[in-house]
Amino acid sequence: MQSHPKPQFASWLIKQVETGQYSGLRYVGPNRFRVPWKHNSRKDCNDEDGKIFKAWAVASGKISDFPKDKARWKTNFRCALNNLHERFKLIADNSKNTDDPHKIYEIIIPESLQMQSSQEDYDPDIYSSPTEYFPSGCDVCSHTFTSFTKSIKTYIVVVLLEQSNPAAVPNYPGVLAPANNIEIIPEPNIYYEPPPTHPPQVPTINDLEISIFYRKREMLKTNVTCQHLQLHYPQETQEPSVHALCFPSTDGLTDHKQIHYTNRILDSIQRGLTLKVQEDGIYAYRHDRCHVFASTSDQTVAHPNPQKLPLNTMTQLLSFGNYLNELKNFEDNSGRSPEYTIYMCFGEKFPDGKPLDRKLIVVKVVPLACRYFHEQAQLKGASSLHSSNISLQTSYNSLMELINTYIGLPTAEEPDLTPLMTSQSQY
């Protein structure tokens, strides 16, 4: 018997949100939905909490490979979701919430449709006086017309995401039925969660921008706020204090040779490595046999001894003290621009004279606080710092002290990383 083809994740997920059969999976606003995200290690975690993850394992055909592995179901779901960063944007990460762990995502509307929608929203002929199109006193007709215009825009967005079967229109709240039998479905009363609070203007020491490239293609780009970040494929740590980020799959690639060698590297990553943010810098701890080479420069010149991260050893990748000294010299026009972006090459030596975009797997880590103060120093060359009367020429003992001077944030207490320091054989 012929098996069913694997569905497109984007359209599949939207359909699951609409069914209402998954606890905690629902719309929370226009083009926004929440996903339950309870950690498997919690005592109160049950089958209902991971129902959506199992559903994707079944739909994608992976359930036969891992029939009882709940952690793997969740990992595959997260990888598929992260791999579609151009369609889904993480709005709020409440996965550490004790009472209701969940994440909120937004369905991204292409710029062409946003522009069209914006023009329609401000078209006085359509929205300012909708009753002009109907007889005086026809309130029902006016309401119907408004619902109709909202439905049209929602319909376009959903159809755009529906690639596996363009003829099938999901039963999204407020969406038109098929054209042969047009029916306006009234919008139900939906509970709208309040929008998340915006982060302070100055990033904290734990704010990181993570980008993952498979050769020239950017497979994932996301911002995280954490002290411990695990880059893995597919074995996720069970430590609740560690933010896990799974490498994307190679499903979107087309070069068969690239896919083959990239998968070989991915299969050797396993638990990968953990990044740890401390007051004096950013460190890395490699867990498995996949070799990782790190540098704070994207130079293509071959280095005689590229920094290879040792196994089971905490290694400093970036010194905040060196960054501050370079930043001060840069502002005084007595030194080069500070280097603070971390490049990690998995499975291949770097730098080795070959362009970075030729490498199979590269992870780029940008400490957002370092970027912020670097940009402020650049602006000062043209005018002056407008954030406050602070001068970077003042001596600071740490990056945390500089940040706290701007926004007054307390130093966060760091969780213990000892459970991650398990003894493993050397490679």
Side-chain angles (χ1 to χ4, degrees), residues 247-297:
F247 281 87
S249 69
T250 58
D251 290 347
L253 303 180
T254 57
D255 188 310
H256 294 290
K257 184 176 291 186
Q258 178 190 358
I259 293 173
H260 171 72
Y261 287 111
T262 302
N263 282 331
R264 284 182 58 180
I265 297 177
L266 288 174
D267 290 340
S268 68
I269 289 177
Q270 301 296 311
R271 290 176 61 201
L273 63 82
T274 299
L275 292 178
K276 181 180 181 182
V277 182
Q278 297 188 150
E279 287 195 20
D280 63 335
I282 298 179
Y283 293 76
Y285 185 90
R286 180 166 71 90
H287 298 281
D288 289 298
R289 59 191 177 92
C290 180
H291 294 173
V292 182
F293 293 82
S295 174
T296 54
S297 173

Side-chain angles (χ1 to χ4, degrees), residues 211-371:
S211 303
I212 299 179
F213 298 86
Y214 291 171
R215 297 195 78 174
K216 295 181 180 180
R217 179 167 179 178
E218 184 180 78
M219 305 294 292
L220 172 67
K221 185 174 183 179
T222 184
N223 289 356
V224 299
T225 301
C226 62
Q227 291 179 313
H228 296 153
L229 172 69
Q230 183 198 14
L231 295 166
H232 68 98
Y233 188 91
Q235 296 184 12
E236 177 184 353
T237 179
Q238 297 299 310
E239 290 297 318
S241 61
V242 178
H243 183 101
L245 186 63
C246 180
F247 281 87
S249 69
T250 58
D251 290 347
L253 303 180
T254 57
D255 188 310
H256 294 290
K257 184 176 291 186
Q258 178 190 358
I259 293 173
H260 171 72
Y261 287 111
T262 302
N263 282 331
R264 284 182 58 180
I265 297 177
L266 288 174
D267 290 340
S268 68
I269 289 177
Q270 301 296 311
R271 290 176 61 201
L273 63 82
T274 299
L275 292 178
K276 181 180 181 182
V277 182
Q278 297 188 150
E279 287 195 20
D280 63 335
I282 298 179
Y283 293 76
Y285 185 90
R286 180 166 71 90
H287 298 281
D288 289 298
R289 59 191 177 92
C290 180
H291 294 173
V292 182
F293 293 82
S295 174
T296 54
S297 173
D298 61 354
Q299 58 184 338
T300 58
V301 179
H303 195 282
N305 296 302
Q307 184 182 14
K308 176 183 175 182
L309 302 185
L311 185 66
N312 299 334
T313 303
M314 193 66 73
T315 306
Q316 188 178 65
L317 303 182
L318 175 67
S319 168
F320 289 149
N322 291 341
Y323 163 78
L324 288 174
N325 291 331
E326 292 178 0
L327 182 66
K328 181 180 182 299
N329 293 333
F330 175 66
E331 189 189 32
D332 294 341
N333 295 319
S334 60
R336 65 179 183 178
S337 178
E339 294 182 336
Y340 53 86
T341 300
I342 301 171
Y343 299 91
M344 293 183 291
C345 185
F346 284 70
E348 296 177 276
K349 286 185 178 181
F350 175 79
D352 62 351
K354 298 179 182 179
L356 186 61
D357 60 11
R358 300 293 296 174
K359 300 300 180 181
L360 290 171
I361 300 179
V362 173
V363 176
K364 177 182 174 183
V365 181
V366 180
L368 295 182
C370 293
R371 174 190 284 173

